Amino acid sequence: MGGYILKRLVSAVPVLLGITVIVFLIMALIPGDPATAILGSYATPENVEKINRDLGLDKPAVARYFIWLGNMLTGDFGRSFSLNRPVLDEVLERFGATLVLAGTSFVICSVLGIVAGAVSAARQYGLADKAITFAVLIGISIPSFFLGMMMILAFAVERRWFPVSGMYAIYGGGDLPDLARHLAMPAVALAVVATGVIARLARSAMLEVLRLDFIRTARAKGVPERRVIWHHALKAAMVSIIPVLGIQAGFVLSGAVYIEIVFQWPGIGRMLVTAILQRDILLVQGGVVFVAACYVLFNIAVDVVQSLLDPRIKT
Amino acid sequence: MTRFLWLLARNQLALMGGIVLVLVVLVCVLVPVLPLRPPDVTNTADRFLAPFSDGHLLGTDHLGRDLLSRLLWGTRLSLAVGFVAAIAAATLGSAIGIVAGYFGGRTDNIIMRGVDMLMAFPYILLALAIVAALGPGLLNALIAVAAVNIPFFARNIRGITVGIAHKEFVDAARLAGKGHLAILTTEILPNVIPVIVIAMSTTIGWMILETAGLSFLGLGSQPPQADLGSMLGEARAALITNPHTSVVPGVMIFVIVISINLLGDGVRDALDPRLRSGALSRPRPATNVRRESVPQGPGEGVLDIRELETQFHVGKRIYRAVNRVSLTIAPGECLGLIGESGSGKSVTALSVMGLVASPPGVITGGAAFHEGRDLIGAPYRDLRRLRGDRVAYIFQDPLSTLHPLIRVGEQLAEAIRVHHKVPRAELRRRAVELLGAVRIPNAESRVDSYPHEMSGGMRQRVAIAMALANEPEVIIADEPTTALDVTVQAQVLSLLDDLRRERGVAILFITHDFGVVAQMCDRVAVMYGGRIVEEAATADILNAPAHPYTKRLMDCVPELGGGRRKLDAIPGLPPAVDKLPPGCAFAPRCDKVREACRAAPVAMTRAGGRAVRCLYPETDIAKDPA
C-alpha cells in the first residue's frame, strides 16, 4: 500500500509541472504589461523599469518560468501588490475557509447522493424513485448562485434561521456552533448540483450491479434484501461511483467561488475574483496553482481509497 | 431517424422540455421586432417598480430599466453565447480528438497528455485563470468556457475515432491512395458527427450556466450590456429589498437549463437501446407470482415441483420458458435435469426459490412443495428464511457468482450468519472447516482470499461450500461444472457425489451433458421447449432412450474408447418459446415426425418408473418397463 501511494505521488509530479506550465502560459497571454497595470498609465519610465526588474519581466520567458517555479518550490509565491502581503500567506488563509465550505459540501453531496441513488435504484419505478428523480432533475438544473440567493431570502430574511452572510458573527462569534450556523446555507447551496449528479450516477451504477450474478447468489444464500442492497450491491457499485466523487470534488471546490460571492464567505474563490478584477496577477497565479495542486493530491487520495475497496487493482 | 423522433416525442417530459426550449428560442429570435421598451434606457424616477405595474410587466431594476425587455435581450445574449461556446468547444475539441485518435502513437500520446493536464484543473478554476489573463468581458468569458470544455470533447471523440480508425473502410480509403486530410474529412468525420452532436446537446446547458456564472461574478458581460448572469449579479445588491429583480433572471436560467436537461435526457434515452426494452430493470428480491391455478399439497419427497409455469413478459411478447413442469425429488436423491440451452431447465430451477429475474419473469402457475409448504406462493420473509438454509443453490460461472470485492471466508460466514446466530470466531472456524470439506488446500489461509485470486475450480469449490454451509436438504446445482475445464470438472463432480452420499442431501442437477448425468444422477428428466419430454432412471434412459430428442441428445456425447462414430449435431435450432407450435415442440427437428405430432399437444405416457411425451417413441416403455 505504501509503495502504491508513493508510485501515485511520483506519477503526479509531471501533472503538477504541467499545471504550472499551463498557468504560466495562460498568464503569458496577458495583453499589455503588468507594470502599467500596477502603476497606472501615468507611471514614470524609471518606475516601470524597476517594477519589471522586480517582477523579472526583463528576462526571457523560459528563464522567468524556472525562476517562478523555483521560488514556488521554496515557498515563495511572490507578493500581492493589491494586498501588500505574501501571496502564500493570503492563499493559505483563504484556502482554509474554502476547505471548510467545500469539504462540508463534499460530505453532504457524497452521502446524500449515494443514499438517494441507492434508494432510487432499490425502489425503481416506485414512488421514492420518482420523487428522487424529480428532485434530482430540479437540483441539477438550478444555478447554485441563484439557489443561494433564494435561500438567503427564505431562511435568513423571511425566517431568521440563519445569518445572511459571512463565516463568523462579527461580535461574539468564532466558536464552532457559530461557524456551523454560518456554514449551513452555503454548504447546502453548494452541494445541491453535485448531489444530483452523484445520485443519478449512483442510481444507474446500482441498477447495473443489481442485475449481476453475485446479487442472485446473495439472494440465493438468504441474505436479507436490505443487506443485499446496502452491502453487496452498494459495495460493488462504489467502484464506479468513487471516480465520479473525485470529479465532483473538483466541481464543488471550484464552484465554491459563486457561493463565496453570494454568502460573502472569505474563501479563495472570492479572493481570485477580486484579484482578477484588480489585475493582481501574482495572486491569481499563486491561488490557481495552489488549488489545482491540492486537487491533484486529492485525486491521488481518491485512487488510494479505490484501491482499498477493490482488491483487483494491482497496488 | 423517424423512430428516434417518435421515441423522443413519446417521452412526455422530453417533449415538454423541447417545447419550452423552442418557445424561448423563438422569442429570442423575435426580440428585435417585439414591441419592447429599450433595455438600456435608465429612468431613475421609476426605480424598482414591482412586477405588473403600469407599462412594466415585470417591473424595473435599480436603474429603472424595463425588466421584461432586459430579460428577453439578456436571454438572447446568454443563449447565443452558450451556443457559440458549445460550437467552438465541439469543433476544436473534436478536431483535436480526431487527430489524436486517427494518427495514434506519439501524436496521440502528446495530445492526450496535454488534455489530461487540462482536466487536472478543477473545472471553473481554469476558466477563472483564462479570464484573469484575457481580462473581464463577455467574449473572453466565452473563450474561457469554450476552452475549458475542449478536453471533454477531445477525449470522447478520440475514443470513438480510435474505434473507427482501424475499420476496413478506412484501410480501403488509405489503399485507394487518399491522403490523411481526405480520409479524416470524408471517412472519419461523418461517422463521429452524431456523437459530437449528442455530446454538444448534453454540454450546452452547462456552457450557458458557466457563462452566466462568469457574468454573475462580474467577469463576463460588462454594463450596460447584460446577459442573464450579469442581471442576476447586479440585482444581488438589492436582493433583500427588491427580490423580484433577482428572481426574474434566476428563474429564466432555471427554465432554460431544466428544459435542456429534459430534452437531453430524452435524447439519450431514445438513443440508448438498452433502455428501450426495459432491460435495465433491476430484478426484485423474489420473482413475481400471478397464478391462475394452484395445485393442492402437501406433495412428496423433499421437493415436489408441480405443473410449474414460468413466463417472461417483454413488451407484448410472452416467452413460455417453463410450461407445466412437474418433478419430484426424494430425500438424498440426485435428479438430473437435462436439455439444450434455452430449454427452460435453469428457469425451472430458479423458479423454486423465486430467483428468476423479475421483471421480466413471472410465475404464472404451479407449485413447489417443500415439507408440505408451497414455496411459490410463500411471502418473501419466509422464502428468504428457507433460501440457503433448507434449499441451497450452486450456479454456473463461479467468477461472476461470487462477490468480487468480498473475501471468500466472509461470503461463507455470511451464508451461515444470515440464518443462525453464531459468534464471530466460531464463524471463521466454520468457514475454514467448510473450505476443508470441499478439499481446498491451506483452507486456513484461503479464507482470506478474494475470488479473483483463486482458480475456476477452486472458486466452484467455494460455491459448493457455501451451498453446504447450513446443511440443506436440497441443493439445486445449475450447470455447476459447465464453466470448468474437463479435469477440474471431474474433480468437482466426484466431490459433489461424495458430499451427497456423506450428508444425504438431495440434488437437482441441471446440465446439458449426458456424460455428467451418467456419473451423478439416480434419475433424469429431459427438458425441451419448456416441457419435460422424458423421465426415467438413469440406467434405463441410457440403455434405451424413448423420446427421439433424448436419443439425439445422447448421440452428441463422444465416448472415450468408443471407436470411430459420427457425432451428430441435432439439425435445426431449439424452438423460440414465444412461438411454440401447437403440437410437439420437437416435431420440426424430428426425423420420425408424422401428421399427428403437429396437430395437438402430446400428453405424457407413464409406465412404471418411466414417462415419455411422444406418440411414436424409440422404445415402448410399456413393454420395456423399468
Side-chain angles (χ1 to χ4, degrees), chain A residues 14-20 22-23 26-31 121-125 137-143 145-146 148-150 152-153 157 164 193 197 200 204 206-208 210-229 231-233 235-237 239 249-251 253-258 261-264 269 272-273 276-277 279 281 284 287-289 291-292 295-296 299 308-312 314, chain B residues 13 114 116-126 128-136 206 209-210 212-214 216-219 222 229 232-233 235-236 239-240 243 246-251 253-255 257-259 261-262 265 268 274 278-286 350 355 380 383-389 391-393 395-397 399-406 410-412 414-415 417-419 450 452-453 466 470 478:
Chain A
V15 180
L16 290 169
L17 282 177
I19 282 174
T20 60
I22 289 171
V23 171
I26 292 174
M27 293 307 155
L29 293 174
I30 296 174
R123 303 246 175 283
Q124 193 191 16
Y125 304 134
L137 179 71
I138 302 280
I140 59 171
S141 304
I142 200 162
F145 41 93
F146 180 53
M149 288 162 72
M150 293 304 107
I152 290 177
L153 276 183
V157 180
V164 171
V193 174
V197 175
R200 269 194 165 189
S204 61
M206 285 290 282
L207 285 178
E208 291 278 346
L210 280 170
R211 300 160 58 223
L212 296 179
D213 287 348
F214 59 80
I215 294 299
R216 190 183 58 193
T217 308
R219 284 173 171 164
K221 279 200 294 192
V223 177
E225 189 59 16
R226 184 178 295 231
R227 194 173 155 81
V228 170
I229 301 281
H231 186 65
H232 290 251
K235 190 161 193 165
V239 172
F251 277 90
L253 188 61
S254 58
V257 58
Y258 303 123
I261 296 278
V262 171
F263 289 92
Q264 304 284 309
L272 283 175
V273 173
I276 290 169
L277 291 171
R279 317 235 62 187
I281 296 307
V284 176
V288 170
V289 167
V291 175
Y295 181 55
V296 169
N299 270 323
L308 286 176
L309 177 77
D310 189 347
R312 292 168 298 182
K314 294 261 182 304
Chain B
L13 284 173
D116 285 345
M117 298 283 176
L118 286 175
M119 285 188 130
F121 281 90
Y123 193 66
I124 300 158
L125 195 68
L126 190 58
L128 284 182
I130 294 171
V131 173
L134 301 177
W206 268 109
L209 207 54
E210 289 316 320
L214 288 176
F216 173 79
L217 297 176
L219 305 176
Q222 302 293 315
L232 199 55
R236 202 170 62 82
L239 171 67
I240 294 170
S246 304
V247 171
V248 166
V251 167
I253 300 178
F254 173 68
V255 167
V257 175
I258 201 171
S259 43
N261 282 339
L262 281 172
D265 291 352
R268 207 195 44 213
R274 279 185 313 173
L280 250 186
S281 294
R282 58 111 186 54
R284 290 166 185 281
L350 292 172
L355 290 170
Y380 169 73
L383 209 52
R384 182 199 76 71
R385 247 179 250 138
L386 294 172
R387 283 177 181 176
D389 194 33
V391 181
Y393 280 86
F395 296 109
Q396 185 178 40
D397 177 4
L399 182 57
S400 63
T401 53
L402 293 176
H403 197 296
L405 308 180
I406 301 179
E410 269 177 68
Q411 299 195 46
L412 274 172
E414 187 187 37
R417 197 157 55 97
V418 294
H419 295 291
Y450 288 97
H452 73 278
E453 295 166 340
M466 214 147 77
N470 297 307
D478 187 359

Side-chain angles (χ1 to χ4, degrees), chain B residues 330-343:
Chain B
E333 182 189 35
C334 179
L335 171 66
L337 184 57
I338 191 167
E340 286 169 288
S341 42
S343 61

Side-chain angles (χ1 to χ4, degrees), chain A residues 72-93:
Chain A
M72 275 197 304
L73 289 177
T74 55
D76 177 11
F77 280 57
R79 203 172 174 81
S80 153
F81 79 81
S82 65
L83 298 165
N84 196 26
R85 76 182 287 206
V87 166
L88 190 60
D89 292 3
E90 177 74 5
V91 165
L92 284 176
E93 194 180 309

Side-chain angles (χ1 to χ4, degrees), chain B residues 5 95 130 161 281 326-327 351 411 460 468 497 507 594 623:
Chain B
L5 284 177
I130 294 171
T161 310
S281 294
S326 299
L327 289 169
S351 299
Q411 299 195 46
Q460 196 56 297
L468 290 172
D497 203 39
I507 298 183
R594 292 187 218 170
K623 277 190 195 156

Side-chain angles (χ1 to χ4, degrees), chain B residues 398 446 451-461 484 488:
Chain B
R446 277 302 187 176
H452 73 278
E453 295 166 340
M454 301 181 131
S455 67
M458 203 81 103
R459 282 194 291 262
Q460 196 56 297
R461 284 163 198 267
L484 306 177
V488 181

Side-chain angles (χ1 to χ4, degrees), chain A residues 73-287:
Chain A
L73 289 177
T74 55
D76 177 11
F77 280 57
R79 203 172 174 81
S80 153
F81 79 81
S82 65
L83 298 165
N84 196 26
R85 76 182 287 206
V87 166
L88 190 60
D89 292 3
E90 177 74 5
V91 165
L92 284 176
E93 194 180 309
R94 296 298 202 102
F95 189 66
T98 296
L99 216 52
V100 170
L101 172 63
T104 312
S105 270
F106 182 66
V107 172
I108 294 174
C109 70
S110 309
V111 174
L112 219 60
I114 292 171
V115 169
V119 168
S120 208
R123 303 246 175 283
Q124 193 191 16
Y125 304 134
L127 197 65
D129 182 29
K130 282 179 182 146
I132 289 171
T133 308
F134 182 72
V136 161
L137 179 71
I138 302 280
I140 59 171
S141 304
I142 200 162
S144 62
F145 41 93
F146 180 53
L147 178 66
M149 288 162 72
M150 293 304 107
M151 284 172 79
I152 290 177
L153 276 183
F155 305 121
V157 180
E158 288 287 318
R159 301 165 200 81
R160 299 182 175 264
W161 293 351
F162 298 104
V164 171
S165 65
M167 189 168 172
Y168 294 106
I170 299 166
Y171 302 109
D175 52 353
L176 209 58
D178 181 45
L179 176 63
R181 265 165 41 80
H182 281 81
L183 185 58
M185 280 204 300
V188 169
L190 179 55
V192 165
V193 174
T195 306
V197 175
I198 292 169
R200 269 194 165 189
L201 181 98
R203 179 178 185 269
S204 61
M206 285 290 282
L207 285 178
E208 291 278 346
V209 168
L210 280 170
R211 300 160 58 223
L212 296 179
D213 287 348
F214 59 80
I215 294 299
R216 190 183 58 193
T217 308
R219 284 173 171 164
K221 279 200 294 192
V223 177
E225 189 59 16
R226 184 178 295 231
R227 194 173 155 81
V228 170
I229 301 281
W230 295 105
H231 186 65
H232 290 251
L234 188 57
K235 190 161 193 165
M238 282 308 280
V239 172
S240 42
I241 295 173
I242 284 180
V244 174
L245 292 187
I247 296 170
Q248 286 307 309
F251 277 90
V252 168
L253 188 61
S254 58
V257 58
Y258 303 123
I259 297 300
E260 288 172 7
I261 296 278
V262 171
F263 289 92
Q264 304 284 309
W265 191 266
I268 200 159
R270 216 174 95 199
M271 178 202 88
L272 283 175
V273 173
T274 316
I276 290 169
L277 291 171
Q278 293 180 329
R279 317 235 62 187
D280 190 341
I281 296 307
L282 280 178
L283 192 54
V284 176
Q285 265 183 349

